[in-house]
Structure formats: structure tokens, C-alpha cells
Amino acid sequence: MISHISIKDFAIIKNLDLDLKPGLNILTGETGAGKSIIIEAISMALGSRADADYIRSGSDKALISLAIDDEKGNEYIIKREISSQGKNLCKINGELVSLGELSSLCKGLADIHGQYDHQSLLNPENHTNILDIYGGEEIQRLKSITSESYKNLSYISGQLRTLKAKIKDAERQKELYTYEIKEIDDANIKPGEDSDLEDEIKLMQNSEGIFETLCNISDLLYGNDYCAQNALGKAMHEMESISEYSEELEGFATNISDAYYSINEMSSDIRAFRDSINFSPELLEEKIERAEFLEKLKRKYGPTLDDIFDYREKAAGSVGLMEDADARIAELESKMTLCKEEFDIASKRLTVLRDKAALLIEKKVTAELSELNFSNALFQVKLSPCPACENGTSSAEFLITTNKGDEPKPLAKIASGGELSRIMLALKRITGDLDSIPTMIFDEIDTGISGATAGIVGQKLKSISDNHQIICITHLPQIAALGDHHYKIEKYSDSESTYTNIIPLEGDGVVEELARLLSGTEITDSARQQARELIGHF
């Protein structure tokens, strides 16, 4: 429900704050005091189109804030800022959102019925849902089955389309893929082979210089009387002869001994590597050809050997797909048949139940409308086939005529603001607590009614307010007398400007306002007495 409204610099409203409560909230005031302007401000805060013309004269922007609590206990602070420069900001709990996001949230929080464009009843897409709400648990159960089977059907259908597209592509590519798999397999590529070949080719191409250098190194380490190995051997022998005289000398001896054996091992390894160098031009040419072949494959299948392996797996998968394609298609088509049968059965049954619900709701709404001063009204539900969707294969549209002998037509083409409010009131009376929208705002609901009909309208509003927060602008005392909470909207002027103010009324304040509604500008004692009787009567 809406718990607080704050409006700044909007039309003739300079600064207005209003706490609202559960139940039936009544707003009254003189014509032109700003009642409908408050509703327009709320409408913009809930996501309707912003209009810079509503910015108060002399101000750069208008700001509307709503505090809303939903049925799940979530709290929302909604802010709408309308700028004269054309910048319009929407915020939910301090975060900027798009107008679409704001509208999406708010359409489930409040519904405005009157002369504004925030009217869910005019949208035929909502009519099927209203009918289904009235249809009760059995329709809701079938609707859930229909929706789930349609989703499954759509998912499996998508899988089947994707599979058939892949198979079609695989059929075109099968011969090529088979050739490419064989080419990659015949190449017998080893992981890292290209890097190994690069190293081997560099070595072989420089083998003569490497061999000569290794020979020189080998001589320096091992090959003559003055080599490093002999020198270290003599140093080791000399150091061992004195190592017993101190720990430090013993450490020197150990280090020299380690160096001696390390050089001995290194010399052996260098000689073995030198002797392994192959000067064969044939072998070098063979390795160069192999490296060039691998580069050719990399250019064809990927920049690395790993990419070649990956391509081979992909190609093999495509060829493999062809081998079990028939079985997979048959499996999906079987599932699709079962889902379609389930969808067809559920959607047909759903349509039958909607037909029954439509007949009942037509009679009840027509009866409700008769009580609401639509003596010649006829309400009809037109159920039509529609393309298969989550809602089944049928959709509803509400038709009405308010004149005897006229053919019923869509609500949007027939109903005025006040009529639409009363039609929604009739529907809300019938659907009751099944409606999930917590707040309903009625403007112009009393257009064209008076006397006993006004009392009936008030009673119906009171009844709905047991399960919804109702905000109602009215000129009729019969409706205003039923309010749980009453607010008077006043307009006043000073030497500079005009302002709108709102005053919560209680006790004698309510009596005075009802007396004004009964008698006009001059409030009489008789009108006050009538007001008290009116409150006592209800």
C-alpha cells in the first residue's frame, strides 16, 4: 500500500506531504482545489508519461515521492523528478532506474481508475487474467499445467530445430570433415612437437660451430695437463693435506672436492653432447620439411597444435552427430508429441472452464452495474481463439454497452472515466481478495450518480477496502461518509501565488466537510445534522 506521498512544485502544489493508511481513504475539496492534480502526481510517480507543463510556475523541477509497502513486506521509496530541461529521473530506493523498470514494478503495486492513462482495465491483455482469477483454483491449476507444458514444448522444439540445423550443416561438411580428420590423424602430431623441432633445427644448422666450441671447452676442462680438472685435482690434494688443522680449512677442502667432481661430471656430459651432434644434411632437411608441414597444418586449422587437436575433436563430433542423429531426433520428436498432447488437453479444458466462468461473470458484473446506476448495461466476455502461448489457445476481451439495444463494444471504445471506474468497481467486488494489486485509486467514480446509487457505490468501495487500500476522490457525501480516513484538499492564494494544502479530518472536521458537500458553500445546522445522521446510518 501507499503509506506516504510527498509532492513538491507540481502544478499549484508547492509542498505537500500526506500519510495514507489501510482501508478507505477519502479525498474531498472544492472544484479546482487540486484533488485530481494529486492523482496525476501519483500517476507520474507510478510510471506514466511525464509532462513538464505540470512543473510549478517559477520552479525548475517537480519532485514526487511515494513510500510503498507490498504484501511481501518489501518497502519501496519511489521518486520521480521532472525537469524543465527535459531531464526526468526515476529512482527506486535511491537507485536510478529506467521508466520501463519503474512502470514494471508499479503496475503490481497500485492501479488508478479515472481520466488518466494508467488504466489496466482498458488493456485487453489483462482481461484473460481477470477472468482466470474469477475462475478460481481449477483454472489456476490448469493454467499452470498449460504454461509449463507450453514452456517444455517450446524448449524441446528449440532443441529439435537446433539439432536439425546442426545435422544439415554436418551433412554438408561430412566429406570435408572426414578428409580433415584423416589428414590430422595421418600427421601423427605429438604435443609440443613444433617447439622441439625448432630447437633441433637451430642446433643442427649451427652444429659445426657448436662442435668446435665444445671441443675447445672440453680441452680447457679435461683435455691436457693444464686443464681445469687437473688443476682442481692438485688443489684438492694439497688442501686435504692441511684440512685437519681447522674447520675453515676443512670447508675449503670440501668445496674444492665438490668443484672437482662437478667439473668431472660436466666434462663427461659436454663430451657426450658433442659426440651426439649429427652433421647429416639429410636429417636436417627432413626436420625442416616436418616443421614446414606442421606450419601448414597450423595455418589451416589453428595457430597452435592445440587448436589443431581441438578442431579434430569438433570435426569428429560433427561426424559422430550424423551417426546417432536419427535416434536423437526420434527421441526429441517423441517428447514433443507428449508435451503437445499435454498442452492440447490442458488448453482445451482451460477454454471450457473460461467459457463457464465467462457466463457467470457476465451475469454478476451486469447485476453489479445495474446497482451502480447502469440500468441498461450489458457486460459480455468475448472468448476468442488465439495462437498457442503460455495462456493456452484462448483469450478474453471485455465488451460493454450502457444503452439498451446497442451492441456491446470493447471498453476502450465505450467507457468514460467515471463509467470505467464503476466497471472496475463491479469487477473488484466480484473478484474480491483474489486480486493481487494492493492499492486502488478512484477518481471521478461518482460522475453521473446521486442518491441511493451513491450509497451503493460507497458500500461497494467500503467492501473492497477490507482487502485493498482504496484512495477515492469524491464529491458525494454518501460515499465520503463511509471513509476510514478523510482528507480535505484546500486551495488558497496570497499576493504572490496559489497553493494547495491537505488537511486530515477527524470527528467534527469530518462532519463539517460532509455538511459542505450536502449544502454547498453556506454550511447550515441542518446540513450538519444530516451529516451526523449520514455517518450514523452507515
Side-chain angles (χ1 to χ4, degrees), residues 332-346:
L332 287 174
E333 286 179 340
S334 174
K335 286 182 178 179
M336 206 169 144
T337 300
L338 290 174
C339 283
K340 190 171 186 316
E341 287 175 358
E342 185 180 54
F343 173 78
D344 288 343
I345 291 169

Side-chain angles (χ1 to χ4, degrees), residues 365-377:
V365 172
T366 298
E368 287 283 333
L369 290 173
S370 178
E371 292 181 8
L372 290 167
N373 203 26
F374 285 105
S375 54
N376 294 316

Side-chain angles (χ1 to χ4, degrees), residues 250-510:
E250 185 177 359
F252 292 156
T254 299
N255 289 340
I256 292 173
S257 174
D258 290 344
Y260 173 80
Y261 288 111
S262 177
I263 283 184
N264 189 42
E265 184 177 355
M266 189 191 307
S267 299
S268 177
D269 291 343
I270 288 172
R271 288 195 302 275
F273 187 85
R274 178 197 65 191
D275 295 341
S276 71
I277 293 176
N278 194 326
F279 292 95
S280 167
E282 292 81 8
L283 183 58
L284 174 60
E285 184 63 29
E286 182 182 318
K287 290 186 179 293
I288 290 173
E289 287 179 0
R290 176 66 175 175
E292 289 175 346
F293 175 68
L294 292 182
E295 286 300 316
K296 180 182 175 183
L297 289 180
K298 286 195 287 185
R299 285 194 300 272
K300 185 174 181 180
Y301 298 114
T304 68
L305 294 186
D306 285 341
D307 290 324
I308 295 176
F309 300 144
D310 289 344
Y311 184 87
R312 196 260 179 218
E313 290 304 310
K314 175 188 170 185
S318 294
V319 172
L321 183 68
M322 295 293 298
E323 295 173 359
D324 63 351
D326 291 342
R328 180 63 180 146
I329 286 174
E331 179 188 357
L332 287 174
E333 286 179 340
S334 174
K335 286 182 178 179
M336 206 169 144
T337 300
L338 290 174
C339 283
K340 190 171 186 316
E341 287 175 358
E342 185 180 54
F343 173 78
D344 288 343
I345 291 169
S347 60
K348 284 175 184 176
R349 178 61 182 157
L350 186 57
T351 298
V352 170
L353 291 180
R354 281 174 177 161
D355 273 326
K356 291 180 179 178
L359 292 174
L360 293 174
I361 201 172
E362 284 175 348
K363 291 178 183 177
K364 288 195 174 184
V365 172
T366 298
E368 287 283 333
L369 290 173
S370 178
E371 292 181 8
L372 290 167
N373 203 26
F374 285 105
S375 54
N376 294 316
L378 178 62
F379 179 83
Q380 285 189 357
V381 179
K382 180 184 177 184
L383 208 62
S384 306
C386 71
C389 62
E390 289 185 30
N391 275 334
T393 53
S394 60
S395 63
E397 183 177 12
F398 295 160
L399 310 178
I400 193 170
T401 176
T402 55
N403 299 311
K404 190 180 249 184
D406 288 352
E407 283 295 317
K409 294 181 181 178
L411 291 179
K413 294 182 179 179
I414 295 294
S416 66
E419 288 175 330
L420 187 64
S421 295
R422 280 182 278 161
I423 294 166
M424 176 58 83
L425 188 58
L427 284 166
K428 293 296 180 183
R429 276 279 295 127
I430 291 168
T431 55
D433 352 352
L434 298 172
D435 194 329
S436 60
I437 296 177
T439 296
M440 297 176 59
I441 301 170
F442 289 94
D443 187 16
E444 294 188 348
I445 196 167
D446 50 15
T447 301
I449 62 172
S450 59
T453 304
I456 294 169
V457 169
Q459 290 288 358
K460 291 184 186 298
L461 283 170
K462 183 71 174 175
S463 173
I464 296 171
S465 72
D466 290 340
N467 298 297
H468 299 265
Q469 181 192 45
I470 302 296
I471 301 169
C472 177
I473 291 177
T474 184
H475 295 279
L476 296 179
Q478 295 94 328
I479 295 176
L482 286 157
D484 297 306
H485 316 284
H486 196 136
Y487 307 89
K488 182 180 180 181
I489 300 166
E490 291 184 329
K491 180 172 71 172
Y492 64 95
S493 302
D494 58 19
S495 58
E496 296 180 356
S497 190
T498 300
Y499 307 89
T500 287
N501 191 25
I502 190 159
I503 305 166
L505 300 179
E506 292 182 358
D508 290 342
V510 175

Side-chain angles (χ1 to χ4, degrees), residues 10 13 15 18 29 35 95 128 133 137 143 181 185 194 206 235 319 376 399 434 468 493 499 503 526:
F10 188 86
I13 298 174
N15 200 335
L18 174 62
K35 301 184 297 298
E95 292 189 9
T128 305
I133 287 172
E137 290 184 6
K143 196 172 182 179
I181 291 168
D185 288 347
D194 51 347
N206 297 278
V319 172
N376 294 316
L399 310 178
L434 298 172
H468 299 265
S493 302
Y499 307 89
I503 305 166
S526 171

